[in-house]
Amino acid sequence: MKLRISAKLASVHSEVNVTDLEEKTVFTTKTDPLSAPRCTRLYDAEGVELAHYETTRTDEKDRAYSVSIDGGVSFTTKRSFRVSSSTCEAIIKVGQTGWTVPTQRAWSSRFEVHSEDGKVLVRAKQVPALRGDVYDIEVLDEDHAIEMVLLALIARSVIRDDAPIPV
């Protein structure tokens, strides 16, 4: 399944669209900018809430998230850097699942989701010619499509938040 993640026009990262190749909405997210902990909700195309994830505003060290999916599935994520002296490559560990999300931040950022045995479950690459943090993702594990989309959304946020702020 091939999808595109992009912020809605004029939303300042609080609303995101996930569309298919025909640009039809598959999922949307809404983040309450004043919530503490910061809560983002994932909705299907009909507006039914499927899941949510939370992080505290002060969690700069681990960029940790707590994810809850309707039906009782939940997991946590925690980011660490591959090399302690560089913020260009990070690994997001997904507790309880064994999944990892190696990220690379560069001119065109990218990430993958790997299973515990190293199998690639998602491939994603930033689309540099488009406005904002737009990513094309390919979900290879459709049995866990919602989890993979949630991890893609989290990885996108972690990459954006880890970018150095221009002076």
Side-chain angles (χ1 to χ4, degrees), residues 87-149:
T87 63
C88 293
E89 294 185 5
I91 297 176
I92 301 168
K93 294 182 181 175
V94 185
Q96 302 98 343
T97 66
W99 297 332
T100 57
V101 186
T103 67
Q104 294 180 329
R105 187 176 46 74
W107 290 109
S108 178
S109 299
R110 67 191 75 223
F111 60 87
E112 294 180 335
V113 177
H114 294 175
S115 66
E116 194 169 16
D117 62 0
K119 181 180 173 186
V120 176
L121 306 174
V122 172
R123 285 191 182 96
K125 183 175 182 182
Q126 187 177 23
V127 183
L130 297 177
R131 172 193 65 81
D133 296 324
V134 178
Y135 282 83
D136 283 341
I137 66 170
E138 182 178 10
V139 177
L140 303 171
D141 180 6
E142 292 190 28
D143 291 339
H144 295 98
I146 293 173
E147 292 95 325
M148 297 301 113
V149 168

Side-chain angles (χ1 to χ4, degrees), residues 13-104:
H13 304 298
S14 63
E15 296 181 4
V16 174
N17 274 336
V18 180
T19 58
D20 62 15
L21 294 178
E22 289 83 37
E23 297 184 17
K24 293 180 184 171
T25 299
V26 180
F27 303 105
T28 59
T29 70
K30 293 180 184 174
T31 302
D32 179 358
L34 300 177
S35 60
R38 181 166 290 174
C39 182
T40 299
R41 299 184 184 286
L42 178 72
Y43 301 92
D44 67 12
E46 288 78 39
V48 175
E49 184 176 337
L50 302 173
H52 68 275
Y53 56 93
E54 299 176 341
T55 190
T56 62
R57 292 178 184 271
T58 58
D59 185 17
E60 294 181 15
K61 179 179 180 281
D62 298 324
R63 303 262 190 248
Y65 289 85
S66 173
V67 179
S68 296
I69 301 170
D70 287 356
V73 176
S74 64
F75 55 86
T76 58
T77 67
K78 183 178 177 181
R79 186 262 291 126
S80 61
F81 293 111
R82 196 179 299 251
V83 178
S84 61
S85 62
S86 171
T87 63
C88 293
E89 294 185 5
I91 297 176
I92 301 168
K93 294 182 181 175
V94 185
Q96 302 98 343
T97 66
W99 297 332
T100 57
V101 186
T103 67
Q104 294 180 329

